[in-house]
Amino acid sequence: GDSVTQMEGPVTLSEEAFLTINCTYTATGYPSLFWYVQYPGEGLQLLLKATKADDKGSNKGFEATYRKETTSFHLEKGSVQVSDSAVYFCALSPYNQGGKLIFGQGTELSVKP
Amino acid sequence: KAGVTQTPRYLIKTRGQQVTLSCSPISGHRSVSWYQQTPGQGLQFLFEYFSETQRNKGNFPGRFSGRQFSNSRSEMNVSTLELGDSALYLCASSLKSGKDTQYFGPGTRLTVL
């Protein structure tokens, strides 16, 4: 079945460092891909999404490109801030399965001043 | 617009009891999905409702059930609670089923003693 694999955390970076969180997926058909972020004690917030191959999603300095050839959707940010500390989830919406989302296990990011 | 609201935010129950959680979607949204989040299993899809009909269901036992009302509000019920049902239960709403962006509520933290 469809699945999502994320790099394991926790990831600890210094402020202004470059961030990459790897995400690969297995899916049939043409899924949509998402990155969600969860701050402590809160629900999930959509960070960005891409609905077809070669689409680039971007928001708040974060970017991810839907790569069908490598089945990847890596999250990147050029310069992280302390306020980016959170748990990041990669997710896919399987083809033809309505509103179901399949999530990766999450990557905890901690940014130190 | 008000976001997705979930009530109650925290709940403590004992084994064998049953519990009902409520979710009010964003105004105009007709699809509601439910997810269970635990440290061990991560985020897992429970079910999705659209226009009062269950559209999709995850791999959970029949003790987990849900429904949706004509105003799109949704409830999920867990009967005969087990210790392993302790989790954060998140609901998400979207305009319609399919690949629409899902907006999450803050969750209900259920503790089973």
Side-chain angles (χ1 to χ4, degrees):
Chain A
D2 295 2
S3 65
V4 175
T5 302
Q6 283 182 240
M7 65 184 280
E8 291 197 16
V11 173
T12 302
L13 296 173
S14 297
E15 207 165 21
E16 298 184 5
F18 184 86
L19 168 71
T20 299
I21 301 178
N22 290 337
C23 171
T24 57
Y25 68 90
T26 301
T28 54
Y30 304 96
S32 291
L33 301 174
F34 305 83
W35 277 100
Y36 280 87
V37 58
Q38 187 174 35
Y39 297 99
E42 298 183 13
L44 277 69
Q45 297 176 26
L46 177 69
L47 186 57
L48 53 84
K49 70 175 184 180
T51 57
K52 61 183 188 297
D54 300 325
D55 265 2
K56 177 186 279 190
S58 61
N59 185 27
K60 300 180 182 179
F62 291 90
E63 292 183 340
T65 301
Y66 188 164
R67 301 283 189 203
K68 193 166 177 62
E69 63 276 13
T70 54
T71 61
S72 65
F73 192 55
H74 304 321
L75 182 68
E76 296 183 336
K77 186 177 186 184
S79 176
V80 293
Q81 306 300 312
V82 172
S83 58
D84 293 327
S85 298
V87 181
Y88 292 81
F89 292 92
C90 184
L92 70 80
S93 175
Y95 178 71
N96 216 23
Q97 289 193 40
K100 177 180 181 178
L101 287 174
I102 295 173
F103 287 88
Q105 68 269 39
T107 302
E108 183 180 358
L109 171 66
S110 177
V111 181
K112 307 296 185 188
Chain B
K1 263 187 186 177
V4 177
T5 57
Q6 293 186 244
T7 55
R9 289 294 310 277
Y10 301 91
L11 208 47
I12 299 175
K13 292 286 187 179
T14 56
R15 274 185 305 174
Q17 288 186 308
Q18 75 164 19
V19 67
T20 300
L21 312 181
S22 180
C23 172
S24 293
I26 292 171
S27 177
H29 285 194
R30 294 170 61 194
S31 173
V32 173
S33 297
W34 289 88
Y35 297 84
Q36 181 195 64
Q37 185 177 23
T38 60
Q41 299 299 315
L43 278 153
Q44 294 186 284
F45 172 77
L46 279 156
F47 29 64
E48 180 203 7
Y49 285 87
F50 178 76
S51 293
E52 303 177 65
T53 302
Q54 189 180 87
R55 289 291 305 269
N56 208 340
K57 190 177 191 313
N59 293 326
F60 280 83
R63 300 185 297 107
F64 290 82
S65 63
R67 60 179 176 168
Q68 187 180 34
F69 301 96
S70 58
N71 62 357
S72 295
R73 190 176 71 84
S74 177
E75 290 181 346
M76 68 162 279
N77 183 277
V78 187
S79 62
T80 320
L81 283 166
E82 300 178 359
L83 296 178
D85 297 334
S86 294
L88 180 67
Y89 290 88
L90 294 163
C91 100
S93 76
S94 59
L95 271 171
K96 53 186 188 295
S97 188
K99 296 184 188 301
D100 270 0
T101 297
Q102 293 188 29
Y103 297 87
F104 282 78
T108 294
R109 172 75 62 187
L110 172 64
T111 301
V112 182
L113 303 176

